[in-house]
Amino acid sequence: MQNDRTLLQVKNLKKYFPIKKGVFRKVHGYVKAVDDVSFSIKKGETLSLVGESGCGKTTIGRLILRAIKATSGEIIFHLSDKEVKINKLHESELKAFRKYMQLIFQDPYSSLNPRMTVLEIIGEPLLVNRVASGKVLEDRVVELMELVGLNSKYLRRYPHAFSGGQRQRIGVARALALNPELVIADEPVSALDVSIQAQILNLLKDIQQKQNLTYFFISHDLSVVEYISDTVAVMYVGQIVEIAKTKNIFNHLKHPYTEALLSAVPRIDPGEKRERYFLSGEVADPANPPDGCYFHPRCRYAESICKTKPVPLTEVVTGHFVRCHLAEELDLKGI
Amino acid sequence: MRLFKARENIAKQEKEKYFVATPRQLMWWKFKKHKLAVVALYVLLLMYFLAVFAEFVSPYNIHVRHTRYLYSPPQKIHFFYNDKFHLQPVVYKLKFRIDSITLKEIYYEVPEEVYPVKLFCRGERYKWWGLFETDIHLFGVKPGGTIFLLGTDRMGRDMLSRIISGSRISLSIGLIGVSLSFIFGLILGGISGYFGGTTDIIIQRIIEVLRSFPTIPLWMGLSAALPMTWSPLKVYFAITVILSLLGWTGVARAVRGRFLTLREEDFAMAAYLAGASKWRIIYKHLLPSFLSHIIVTITLRIPGMILGETALSYLGLGLRPPITSWGVLLKECQNVQDIAHHPWLILTVVFIILTILSFNFIGDGLRDAADPYAT
Amino acid sequence: MENASALIEVKNLKVNFFLDEGTVEAVRGINLNIYRNQTLGIVGESGCGKSVLAQAILRIIPYPGKIVEGEILYYRSDDDFVDLVKLNNRGKEIRNIRGSEISIIFQEPMTALSPLYTIGNQIMEAIILHQKVNKKEARELAIDILSKVGIPRPDLCIDQYPFVLSGGLCQRAVIAMALSCSPNLLIADEPTTALDVTIQAQILKLFQDLQKEFNMSVIFITHDLAVISEMTNEVVVMYLGLIVEQAPAIEIFSSPLHPYTQGLLRSVPKLGIESSERLQSIKGTVPDPFEKIKGCPFFPRCPLGDSGICKDNNPVLNTVSPDHKVACFFWDKKKINYAK
Amino acid sequence: MIPTLIMISMIAFVIIQLPPGDYLTTKIAQLQAQDELINEDLIEALREQYGLDKPIYVQYGKWIWNILHGDFGFSWEWQKPVKDVIGERILLTAIISFTATFFIYVISIPVGIFSATHKYSVGDYIITLIAFIGLALPNFLLALLLLFAGYVFFDTSLTGLFSAEFANVSWSGAKVLDLLKHLWLPVVVIGTTSTAGRIRIMRGNLLDELNKPYVVTARAKGLSETKLLLKYPVRMALNPLISGLSVLLPHLVSGATITSVVLSLPTTGPMLLGALRSQDVYLGGAFILLLSTLTVISTLLSDILLAWADPRIQYE
């Protein structure tokens, strides 16, 4: 599986949303939704982005898709024959480029137009990119429906005929229609029932194996992330605080926030009472983050340096980047 | 639960039919549940039918003065005459005498002289929409008899014929006015919602200003500016434009609001990310979703237009004779004495209310049906 | 569990929702005891009737839902009990119980509070309603309870509107409101589902601490098996309006007997367990709520199902060991051990 | 608000200038045709004062300048300053409109609450039906029908705002009482449509709110249904009604205008109509401007009220 080719590279990505106030809509400051984020994804792999709500993970997904434009930074897409800088594409080039990356939405209800049949929904990317039409298009849609485990005789049904899980399958089929290189999945299972989540996660994994897909997986659920990803990036207030191979994130973690997150996850291990560590306080305000390390007000290890000096993301062990002054000294507990 | 909301009208075994039902079918099924709205729909269809075939449906030409029957009260249709019940309805001969004290005409029926009411009766010649000339009327009586079902006015013109004929103006002014304001509103609201920014702010400001004008004084001011020398047709269109000039703000607001929410919908984003063009997103994804809501808005706006015309004409600022509209007809009821002595003149009101009521019921039914996917 | 005296006894409870489209049997005959100082977990997927059960106890089932059968006995003491089903749901008697003896917490803290009134106003309202105190005393009590649920600067927070607070703080305020009159039973209906993990952990910890302090029973409703496992000592698994399995938490997670419980446990990814293996999902989906179910509700999705018996017969909840009940004809056919 | 007022004044001015020619020219021609003596000096003075021979924007400037200094211009028709002609009429219009607003809310809120809390009951159906008919009955038709009914059944004419003995005397306690006695009819006439509309709005809003989680939470607290209803969902459902005030007032002023023509009330309606007919520009302009200002003020009022009723707005 691993062919070690980097597919997507994100360098120093920033997205600041201006805060406008008053009658004249004057800019009164910025929400630093994404603040200097860098990472890369290899072809055929899954990189997951975890973090609490409002940490900027969804924004990163939208930035990669160029649904919104980054304030600064680079997003480089490595195709087999060329490199594309997504943030620099013109509208017209962008349209042609869209087929390489697709999105799976969180909400299986609002992401499907209720006034279109399954055929129209899954066929839309094919149609608007002039890949197929008519009978060819229908055949391709049937093929896609079978790929995601939907009965193709439901081709002409409308979304209201399907349950949440089935709708999410339609969403997956639509995302796959153009054979994209990269699929961005934004909390694809969090709106689903427990028993359905597993179906969709399995489906995503199976398809990845079959088609050598690359996933950028956004989630708040650490157990799902552990199950699906090769690499995990942990975000806090617009920044990546730790990024490493999944195993390392869960077993040899280096950032106190990751530790706190892991400790907070409820587990099924009856009888066994583990020692837990609770984060106090609330997530910092991205419009007005604290000085120094953004995490320091909630960090139980914080020292005076953390309060004043901003931390860069540094490679502590090969392939393991941490944004913490004390990364080398701390001995943190994994799962 | 979302899945099961809109399928009231289908039996279980017809599930598949429901699953592949188009939005329009779902809306119709939902609309049909609103019984009053369905009734209102038929009432309105009938009204518009009358308006279209006015010359044929009305027994008399509207401008013909029956000088011997000024202010004649409504005549009754009798099935029971000659002491027997007949299937063939008749009207009696209408005569009057002068009251010796008040010197007023008092009308009375002469049961001895009966005139059968005949369908497809020959009467005055007319040209339907100026196209086909004929003298066939839906119903009528032989010459010598009269059939004034709703009485006559001060010049002896048949009120029923006038009301039916007036509906042509009054009902069309609502439709045309709404269409105009719909076009204005759709374009300006769409621009406002789609482009946002400064354009949006400017358009919103204009709407705000227009909305803070009390409509009637503004309409009055504008209509007063119409030159008296204009032809009736010109006046008609000018009034329509004036009415729609204020109506569009509501449509524009509704369009903009829907646009803003729909633009944020995931499925619009999905289409955008799939590479769909702006126009495709608008006409394939956004338009169908809010068209039904806009239709509700404009349905509920038609009554306002009709009433606007009626009110302006009633004040003498709108349409003027020889155009016959409901407002013009009501102008005859300027003071209490008129109405008190000739109460049938106010029957126009019944038609107006019926129409407005119907539009409101239909709007209500449409609102329920507008979003068949709502939870 | 030692001094097993019941606080609530639910007997053969049935709740229907009479919709235009048909009748939905949301709760289809449930028997359940809630004991003093016990935390009972109710777990199930959406539409299984767990929330309706909670609403039934407080008699706040929304229109057009109705309790059609059964009893809910509420024991103030061993011989002083009242059947909540028989009370007028707008009457004084049930209103005196609501909020003072039994209180409830909902999923969305933001929508559970009216944005038009301050936190303090809404908490004090409950206090004044059920306790003989004046406004000033109520305010002090409210500040006191707010500090108990871990709200920083409660004297300031009390005058805040809900919409200026974060979700976590709001949920704490809602909890404070529920606890303000020291209830005997607290029903928590997915209290942490809308919250982030770190906040969820805080709130769950708070629950554990408060239960000890307040000496109350708790019904903890959630779809999250892991939360249930951390929070409760007794677990009830519901499916389509029925209890399919009931056992102590330790037992239900180590040796679940019902194929649905087993399926649920297998289908959630677990932290720290090798991720190379595939998740074993439950096939199919929860059926149409309008469908009348004749046999075992889980039969269409069950891996063990036998069309001979399961299709037409609904298995009753059988006691298979002293504190383990399961509603399945084949519970002993295919045991799996979940112990590590 | 200020830019809105400026735009309104411009539109009002343009409207009154729309008819071809001006009153003075017509009048002079008329007088000359009748060989009557013309006070040339007066006409010249007026021409000068209002800049009638200047371009339109200068005229507008003069008009606005004068208005800002309390001079609304001169009514040709009445041969009096506009201010003297309209003062009382604007006041009466305002009284009628505000009383109608009061009437509308006092009726529609409780009825809407009843209708929503008794959804699909007989009472609800009756209210709904009445509300629909009320919606379909425009002001002036209702006025006509009431006049007709009054004449037929009580043999009285229900027109006017004052009894004959008070019509032309100055204000006194007795006159106020007399006004109150006559006020109900125009208020009912003007208010019916809006009351019907607001009943529907209140019912819809309340139905939306009734099952919101915060209501369930409050119920779970043990509040009695009535208290619960009034404190939580009703308060919330009122907000759209409050913000609807800004649309209501223009509507009422409109309604008052035409109703007063039908009922011959001594308010703005008949006089505005007359002014427009005879191209008495300053009178008409002043009316349109003042009526619009009245509604702009109502918008402001509703904003303030809403900010007071809904704390979320203060925090924005």
Side-chain angles (χ1 to χ4, degrees):
Chain A
M1 280 305 302
Q2 242 79 325
N3 42 15
D4 267 13
R5 197 186 100 213
T6 300
L7 180 72
L8 182 80
Q9 231 181 325
V10 172
K11 284 185 195 164
N12 307 101
L13 190 65
K14 287 181 185 170
K15 179 68 192 178
Y16 293 176
F17 292 105
I19 310 168
K20 291 176 181 172
K21 269 187 186 161
V23 194
F24 301 104
R25 318 302 294 158
K26 247 177 96 180
V27 177
H28 272 238
Y30 293 93
V31 174
K32 298 178 175 176
V34 177
D35 193 5
D36 199 7
V37 163
S38 306
F39 60 85
S40 61
I41 312 178
K42 290 202 170 78
K43 172 92 185 128
E45 281 198 354
T46 303
L47 179 125
S48 289
L49 204 54
V50 284
E52 296 177 271
S53 49
C55 72
K57 47 189 198 301
T58 299
T59 312
I60 293 185
R62 306 267 145 139
L63 286 172
I64 294 173
L65 287 161
R66 253 298 282 283
I68 46 177
K69 217 173 166 188
T71 310
S72 69
E74 280 182 28
I75 304 165
I76 307 161
F77 211 98
H78 299 270
L79 293 172
S80 50
D81 51 345
K82 60 178 172 189
E83 267 184 22
V84 180
K85 291 186 173 164
I86 294 176
N87 209 32
K88 301 230 158 59
L89 287 178
H90 288 290
E91 280 297 325
S92 52
E93 299 167 302
L94 185 67
K95 224 187 128 208
F97 187 75
R98 292 230 175 270
K99 61 171 182 263
Y100 294 109
M101 44 187 195
Q102 285 295 309
L103 176 68
I104 298 171
F105 290 84
Q106 171 176 7
D107 184 351
Y109 289 91
S110 72
S111 61
L112 305 181
N113 188 341
R115 288 156 210 272
M116 283 163 79
T117 61
V118 177
L119 173 64
E120 288 177 288
I121 291 170
I122 301 179
E124 181 164 46
L126 299 166
L127 194 71
V128 297
N129 287 286
R130 307 222 168 85
V131 176
S133 63
K135 185 75 184 112
V136 187
L137 183 128
E138 198 174 315
D139 289 345
R140 173 78 178 125
V141 172
V142 166
E143 197 184 302
L144 283 163
M145 286 178 79
E146 275 157 11
L147 178 70
V148 298
L150 284 170
N151 192 333
S152 60
K153 74 176 184 205
Y154 299 151
L155 201 59
R156 280 170 219 289
R157 283 187 174 186
Y158 285 84
H160 65 259
F162 299 96
S163 67
Q166 289 170 319
R167 281 164 165 257
Q168 202 59 315
R169 286 175 195 269
I170 298 173
V172 173
R174 172 176 62 191
L176 296 177
L178 293 166
N179 286 321
E181 294 274 335
L182 175 71
V183 170
I184 294 168
D186 190 353
E187 307 258 13
V189 296
S190 59
L192 303 175
D193 260 329
V194 186
S195 70
I196 308 299
Q197 280 191 7
Q199 294 176 358
I200 299 295
L201 287 175
N202 283 338
L203 174 72
L204 289 175
K205 259 199 156 173
D206 293 347
I207 294 172
Q208 180 172 41
Q209 264 166 18
K210 251 186 242 169
Q211 310 204 338
N212 196 20
L213 269 179
T214 311
Y215 286 139
F216 181 70
F217 196 93
I218 299 167
S219 178
H220 68 276
D221 188 332
L222 283 155
S223 25
V224 167
V225 162
E226 191 199 18
Y227 172 72
I228 196 111
S229 33
D230 300 295
T231 308
V232 178
V234 182
M235 276 194 86
Y236 187 75
V237 196
Q239 295 181 328
I240 288 182
V241 294
E242 185 165 12
I243 179 166
K245 288 276 163 226
T246 309
K247 229 196 302 172
N248 291 336
I249 284 278
F250 285 90
N251 296 315
H252 310 292
L253 61 162
K254 304 270 185 220
H255 198 284
Y257 179 62
T258 317
E259 184 194 38
L261 267 187
L262 276 177
S263 172
V265 178
R267 314 249 185 99
I268 303 177
D269 33 19
E272 198 183 313
K273 286 288 166 233
R274 65 200 159 99
E275 203 189 312
R276 302 195 49 181
Y277 148 47
F278 297 101
L279 264 192
S280 57
E282 305 258 338
V283 178
D285 177 7
N288 187 19
D291 289 337
C293 170
Y294 289 174
F295 186 59
H296 86 258
R298 303 175 78 191
C299 180
R300 60 169 169 177
Y301 308 105
E303 289 177 8
S304 55
I305 181 175
C306 306
K307 289 174 188 151
T308 49
K309 202 174 155 212
V311 219
L313 191 66
T314 18
E315 192 164 16
V316 183
V317 189
T318 321
H320 195 141
F321 294 83
V322 187
R323 197 185 278 272
C324 177
H325 288 300
L326 312 169
E328 315 241 5
E329 299 149 39
L330 296 176
D331 177 27
L332 304 177
K333 210 162 100 347
I335 40 175
Chain B
M1 295 295 277
R2 273 175 206 237
L3 198 70
F4 308 97
K5 267 293 170 189
R7 66 139 189 255
E8 293 84 343
N9 288 285
I10 323 145
K12 265 228 168 100
Q13 61 270 28
E14 287 180 312
K15 240 188 206 169
E16 189 59 32
K17 196 178 151 198
Y18 164 73
F19 286 154
V20 297
T22 60
R24 209 167 297 161
Q25 276 171 311
L26 289 177
M27 282 163 72
W28 175 239
W29 289 336
K30 238 184 152 178
F31 181 79
K32 274 202 301 194
K33 274 200 75 190
H34 199 306
K35 292 280 178 296
L36 267 174
V38 177
V39 172
L41 184 67
Y42 288 125
V43 169
L44 266 194
L45 284 177
L46 180 72
M47 293 275 210
Y48 276 95
F49 174 84
L50 292 182
V52 170
F53 296 99
E55 295 95 338
F56 166 70
V57 179
S58 45
Y60 294 102
N61 186 322
I62 53 162
H63 298 302
V64 170
R65 299 172 182 187
H66 303 267
T67 38
R68 288 173 56 205
Y69 300 99
L70 306 183
Y71 281 135
S72 148
Q75 276 176 277
K76 289 192 189 75
I77 286 184
H78 301 267
F79 286 93
F80 201 82
Y81 52 90
N82 294 344
D83 302 328
K84 260 207 310 241
F85 176 81
H86 299 259
L87 265 180
Q88 167 70 55
V90 298
V91 287
Y92 296 149
K93 173 80 179 171
L94 197 64
K95 286 191 174 166
F96 67 86
R97 59 183 162 77
I98 306 284
D99 188 284
S100 51
I101 303 161
T102 60
L103 294 179
K104 272 187 182 151
E105 293 143 8
I106 294 175
Y107 286 89
Y108 61 95
E109 288 178 324
V110 187
E112 293 75 32
E113 223 175 305
V114 297
Y115 288 89
V117 179
K118 284 203 285 190
L119 285 177
F120 302 105
C121 174
R122 281 181 190 281
E124 292 151 354
R125 293 198 73 79
Y126 61 89
K127 236 180 167 181
W128 182 69
W129 286 97
L131 294 174
F132 308 104
E133 203 176 332
T134 173
D135 58 356
I136 305 281
H137 290 259
L138 179 64
F139 65 95
V141 290
K142 264 193 280 182
T146 54
I147 179 158
F148 303 129
L149 293 180
L150 298 181
T152 63
D153 67 359
R154 71 192 148 85
M155 293 192 219
R157 293 174 293 193
D158 178 41
M159 278 304 286
L160 177 65
S161 304
R162 298 197 81 202
I163 290 174
I164 291 175
S165 176
S167 73
R168 188 176 274 176
I169 301 290
S170 293
L171 290 178
S172 66
I173 222 164
L175 286 192
I176 296 175
V178 152
S179 315
L180 281 181
S181 55
F182 175 64
I183 293 167
F184 287 143
L186 197 64
I187 293 172
L188 287 164
I191 289 172
S192 197
Y194 199 86
F195 293 103
T198 324
T199 328
D200 184 33
I201 293 174
I202 292 172
I203 293 176
Q204 287 314 304
R205 258 281 125 84
I206 295 173
I207 289 178
E208 207 175 287
V209 170
L210 283 179
R211 281 177 81 89
S212 57
F213 266 109
T215 42
I216 300 256
L218 192 64
W219 280 344
M220 281 163 66
L222 288 170
S223 333
L226 299 180
M228 297 295 274
T229 49
W230 277 15
S231 69
L233 199 66
K234 247 182 171 172
V235 172
Y236 170 80
F237 281 112
I239 294 284
T240 317
V241 170
I242 290 172
L243 291 176
S244 58
L245 215 55
L246 288 180
W248 70 270
T249 56
V251 181
R253 277 197 153 190
V255 169
R256 175 175 174 272
R258 295 297 302 175
F259 229 108
L260 289 182
T261 41
L262 279 169
R263 205 175 53 169
E264 302 301 317
E265 286 274 359
D266 280 354
F267 64 75
M269 172 68 100
Y272 172 65
L273 292 179
S277 66
K278 258 182 192 174
W279 290 115
R280 187 184 156 86
I281 295 173
I282 291 177
Y283 89 85
K284 185 84 197 170
H285 294 273
L286 304 186
L287 216 56
S289 306
F290 74 56
L291 208 55
S292 45
H293 294 272
I294 303 305
I295 289 172
V296 175
T297 315
I298 64 175
T299 309
L300 292 170
R301 239 154 233 293
I302 295 175
M305 299 272 169
I306 295 177
L307 290 174
E309 179 277 321
T310 317
L312 284 181
S313 305
Y314 179 79
L315 292 177
L317 287 170
L319 303 173
R320 292 180 288 265
I323 299 185
T324 311
S325 78
W326 287 344
V328 173
L329 290 178
L330 274 184
K331 204 169 176 328
E332 312 254 313
C333 315
Q334 281 288 4
N335 64 59
V336 199
Q337 277 77 11
D338 286 344
I339 311 169
H341 293 137
H342 321 291
W344 56 91
L345 289 183
I346 210 171
L347 283 172
T348 318
V349 174
V350 176
F351 285 78
I352 300 177
I353 292 176
L354 209 56
T355 308
I356 308 299
L357 211 52
S358 299
F359 272 115
N360 281 340
F361 281 137
I362 291 174
D364 207 45
L366 282 177
R367 182 167 30 210
D368 288 353
D371 193 354
Y373 307 103
T375 44
Chain C
M1 292 290 278
E2 292 79 40
N3 49 350
S5 97
L7 181 70
I8 300 260
E9 257 183 76
V10 178
K11 288 182 178 170
N12 192 29
L13 184 73
K14 290 182 182 172
V15 182
N16 287 358
F17 280 77
F18 301 96
L19 300 163
D20 291 347
E21 300 93 317
T23 303
V24 175
E25 299 179 1
V27 171
R28 305 192 296 133
I30 276 186
N31 292 292
L32 189 65
N33 284 1
I34 295 138
Y35 298 99
R36 286 176 202 284
N37 300 329
Q38 179 203 25
T39 304
L40 177 76
I42 301 181
V43 67
E45 296 177 278
S46 52
C48 73
K50 54 193 194 299
S51 295
V52 177
L53 174 62
Q55 291 159 353
I57 294 174
L58 272 170
R59 301 295 313 282
I60 51 171
I61 296 175
Y63 178 86
K66 260 197 189 124
I67 298 177
V68 287
E69 210 182 312
E71 294 176 341
I72 301 171
L73 305 180
Y74 166 53
Y75 291 86
R76 288 203 174 84
S77 67
D78 282 349
D79 40 49
D80 170 20
F81 68 88
V82 53
D83 182 358
L84 298 179
V85 175
K86 291 219 172 66
L87 299 182
N88 173 2
N89 69 351
R90 303 171 141 235
K92 210 165 163 62
E93 214 172 339
I94 189 76
R95 292 206 321 262
N96 285 338
I97 294 173
R98 284 181 198 155
S100 84
E101 293 173 53
I102 304 175
S103 50
I104 189 164
I105 297 163
F106 298 102
Q107 177 174 347
E108 289 277 349
M110 290 301 202
T111 55
L113 292 166
S114 167
L116 300 182
Y117 303 96
T118 59
I119 301 281
N121 179 316
Q122 298 183 58
I123 296 176
M124 282 153 62
E125 181 181 55
I127 297 175
I128 293 172
L129 199 64
H130 297 294
Q131 298 176 35
K132 286 195 180 76
V133 291
N134 62 29
K135 227 174 171 175
K136 209 173 144 232
E137 290 162 333
R139 190 180 163 87
E140 269 156 29
L141 286 172
I143 292 177
D144 191 45
I145 190 90
L146 280 174
S147 73
K148 268 197 186 130
V149 298
I151 285 185
R153 305 298 309 271
D155 49 330
L156 292 181
C157 187
I158 192 166
D159 294 319
Q160 298 287 358
Y161 287 97
F163 51 88
V164 298
L165 301 179
S166 69
L169 281 180
C170 259
Q171 194 60 305
R172 281 173 195 268
V174 172
I175 294 170
M177 195 160 81
L179 295 180
S180 59
C181 299
S182 313
N184 294 328
L185 173 65
L186 176 68
I187 303 172
D189 189 357
E190 306 257 11
T192 58
T193 310
L195 305 174
D196 271 319
V197 251
T198 57
I199 309 297
Q200 167 171 290
Q202 293 172 3
I203 300 285
L204 292 182
K205 175 81 171 42
L206 179 69
F207 264 107
Q208 288 166 337
D209 297 346
L210 290 171
Q211 183 178 13
K212 277 183 207 127
E213 192 178 335
F214 280 80
N215 247 338
M216 59 189 173
S217 308
V218 174
I219 298 181
F220 204 97
I221 297 171
T222 177
H223 69 279
D224 189 331
L225 294 161
V227 169
I228 281 278
S229 115
E230 297 215 334
M231 294 300 296
T232 61
N233 30 38
E234 177 89 2
V235 177
V236 164
V237 182
M238 283 184 72
Y239 188 75
L240 281 184
L242 287 172
I243 294 178
V244 292
E245 187 163 6
Q246 180 176 7
I250 297 180
E251 205 165 321
I252 214 150
F253 291 110
S254 57
S255 51
L257 295 180
H258 197 281
Y260 176 63
T261 319
Q262 294 169 354
L264 273 186
L265 278 168
R266 265 185 306 214
S267 63
V268 288
K270 285 164 279 287
L271 270 187
I273 290 173
E274 263 314 298
S275 64
S276 54
E277 63 185 80
R278 269 172 67 90
L279 293 170
Q280 297 191 357
S281 58
I282 304 173
K283 66 177 180 183
T285 49
V286 179
D288 179 338
F290 292 98
E291 247 160 54
K292 290 274 169 295
I293 303 146
K294 202 167 145 214
C296 171
F298 191 57
F299 166 69
R301 304 177 72 188
C302 182
L304 311 175
D306 179 314
S307 54
I309 171 160
C310 302
K311 197 178 172 205
D312 297 319
N313 302 288
N314 191 6
V316 291
L317 195 61
N318 265 324
T319 308
V320 295
S321 74
D323 43 12
H324 201 147
K325 294 175 192 163
V326 62
C328 178
F329 295 113
F330 296 106
W331 64 272
D332 53 348
K333 290 283 176 345
K334 202 180 167 192
K335 273 193 185 169
I336 345 166
N337 196 357
Y338 268 82
K340 274 193 199 153
Chain D
M1 186 179 154
I2 299 295
T4 312
L5 277 177
I6 293 174
M7 277 183 78
I8 283 176
S9 69
M10 284 182 181
I11 295 173
F13 191 75
V14 169
I15 288 171
I16 56 171
Q17 293 292 345
L18 273 180
D22 62 67
Y23 182 85
L24 225 43
T25 327
T26 331
K27 191 78 188 170
I28 293 166
Q30 212 177 356
L31 292 177
Q32 278 169 342
Q34 291 165 357
D35 266 347
E36 288 193 27
L37 257 173
I38 308 163
N39 188 344
E40 293 280 355
D41 292 344
L42 175 68
I43 287 176
E44 263 325 296
L46 289 171
R47 227 187 251 284
E48 182 67 20
Q49 192 182 348
Y50 299 109
L52 288 184
D53 42 359
K54 304 263 168 52
I56 187 154
Y57 58 88
V58 179
Q59 290 188 36
Y60 169 75
K62 286 218 169 205
W63 185 59
I64 277 297
W65 181 255
N66 290 334
I67 284 176
L68 288 177
H69 289 80
D71 177 8
F72 283 86
F74 190 80
S75 167
W76 312 116
E77 179 101 354
W78 295 71
Q79 292 291 314
K80 267 196 249 176
V82 167
K83 203 166 61 177
D84 299 349
V85 184
I86 60 174
E88 189 165 279
R89 290 179 178 251
I90 286 280
L91 178 73
L92 282 174
T93 304
I95 289 176
I96 290 181
S97 301
F98 282 111
T99 319
T101 311
F102 182 73
F103 163 82
I104 289 165
Y105 283 101
V106 163
I107 304 277
S108 62
I109 291 170
V111 174
I113 293 173
F114 176 87
S115 199
T117 49
H118 297 76
K119 193 179 162 195
Y120 302 142
S121 68
V122 180
D124 180 33
Y125 279 123
I126 292 172
I127 290 167
T128 304
L129 190 71
I130 293 175
F132 265 115
I133 293 173
L135 272 176
L137 258 180
N139 300 324
F140 78 103
L141 288 186
L142 184 64
L144 267 182
L145 290 176
L146 283 178
L147 277 186
F148 176 52
Y151 193 86
V152 170
F153 298 114
F154 307 108
D155 198 30
T156 53
S157 171
L158 295 167
T159 55
L161 264 187
F162 301 102
S163 310
E165 62 267 35
F166 289 108
N168 290 313
V169 299
S170 57
W171 285 98
S172 63
K175 184 167 176 175
V176 170
L177 271 179
D178 185 60
L179 171 66
L180 291 178
K181 256 189 261 167
H182 286 80
L183 204 55
W184 68 270
L185 184 73
V187 164
V188 167
V189 166
I190 295 164
T192 302
T193 316
S194 302
T195 309
R198 255 127 258 264
I199 288 174
R200 298 292 297 159
I201 295 174
M202 186 68 199
R203 178 182 184 270
N205 290 343
L206 193 53
L207 283 178
D208 282 348
E209 294 296 327
L210 277 180
N211 287 318
K212 289 269 173 77
Y214 70 90
V215 182
V216 185
T217 308
R219 181 171 293 130
K221 252 188 253 182
L223 279 179
S224 74
E225 285 297 317
T226 324
K227 217 174 151 190
L228 168 88
L229 187 74
L230 293 180
K231 180 168 176 184
Y232 291 96
V234 167
R235 260 293 302 270
M236 202 71 150
L238 279 180
N239 286 348
L241 283 196
I242 295 175
S243 57
L245 238 160
S246 59
V247 189
L248 178 66
L249 236 99
H251 191 76
L252 291 182
V253 169
S254 264
T257 310
I258 183 160
T259 309
S260 55
V261 175
V262 181
L263 294 178
S264 1
L265 305 180
T267 58
T268 51
M271 192 177 258
L272 173 61
L273 188 61
L276 289 171
R277 275 191 181 139
S278 61
Q279 293 189 16
D280 194 352
V281 283
Y282 295 113
L283 186 57
F287 270 129
I288 294 184
L289 185 64
L290 284 175
L291 292 180
S292 307
T293 309
L294 204 64
T295 63
V296 172
I297 291 170
S298 77
T299 311
L300 190 72
L301 217 70
S302 79
D303 285 351
I304 294 170
L305 260 176
L306 195 63
W308 168 77
D310 191 341
R312 283 171 298 183
I313 291 176
Q314 296 154 23
Y315 280 85
E316 255 174 25

